[in-house]
Amino acid sequence: PYHPFDDPSDVHAEHLEDLDLDDARLRGITFDDCTFTRCSLSSATLSDCTLSATRLHNCNLALARLPGTRLHDVAFVNSRLSGVDWTAAQWPRFSADAPATFTTCDLSYATFTGTRLVNVRFTGCRAHEADFSECDLTHAVFDDPDLARAQFRNTTLTDAQFDRATNYTIDPRLNRLAG
């Protein structure tokens, strides 16, 4: 199906609402300073895209694929992100800023294995069975998430905060908790 991004281009400072991009294939598009509201990208593939200073509110990205997609200063708010394999995205290697924040999102069954998520914030999220194994979560903030059966193995949790987090288990023998 046609969508407004069939031709690769840069999209700057646009407010995109109510788009149905389920199963869409987006390639090489840069979204800078954009806001997505009530958009559905369920099972979509965003290949080699860039999301920078972009906000996604009330969006559905369940089972979306992000191969080679770069994330910088992206805010996901009240969005469904279940089953996303975040390991295929390109996370910043060296940055003092959080590459993404997640607020009241569903991250259940998401995979973050081996990603560098320094300073990332998870606020009021549901992350049932999410996999954070081998992540660098230094200075990450988990504020009021439900982490039922989430996995933390060989994870760097130096100065990470788990304020009001529920339903999680972190084995200190299998994770790095201090610098």
Side-chain angles (χ1 to χ4, degrees), residues 30-60:
T30 296
F31 295 96
D32 180 51
D33 194 27
C34 291
T35 301
F36 290 80
T37 304
R38 295 178 309 278
C39 294
S40 187
L41 292 106
S42 179
S43 298
T45 301
L46 285 74
S47 298
D48 303 313
C49 293
T50 299
L51 300 175
S52 179
T54 293
R55 310 292 173 250
L56 293 95
H57 298 271
N58 301 309
C59 292
N60 180 6

Side-chain angles (χ1 to χ4, degrees), residues 8 25 40 42 52 66 73 103 105 120 141 144:
R25 298 193 191 299
S40 187
S42 179
S52 179
L66 307 170
D73 188 25
T103 305
C105 291
V120 168
V141 175
D144 194 30

Side-chain angles (χ1 to χ4, degrees), residues 27 32-33 48 62-63 68 82 99 113 125 128 150 158 166 173:
R27 182 173 201 77
D32 180 51
D33 194 27
D48 303 313
L63 299 174
S82 54
T113 306
C125 293
H128 291 187
T158 305
T166 60
R173 298 169 297 169

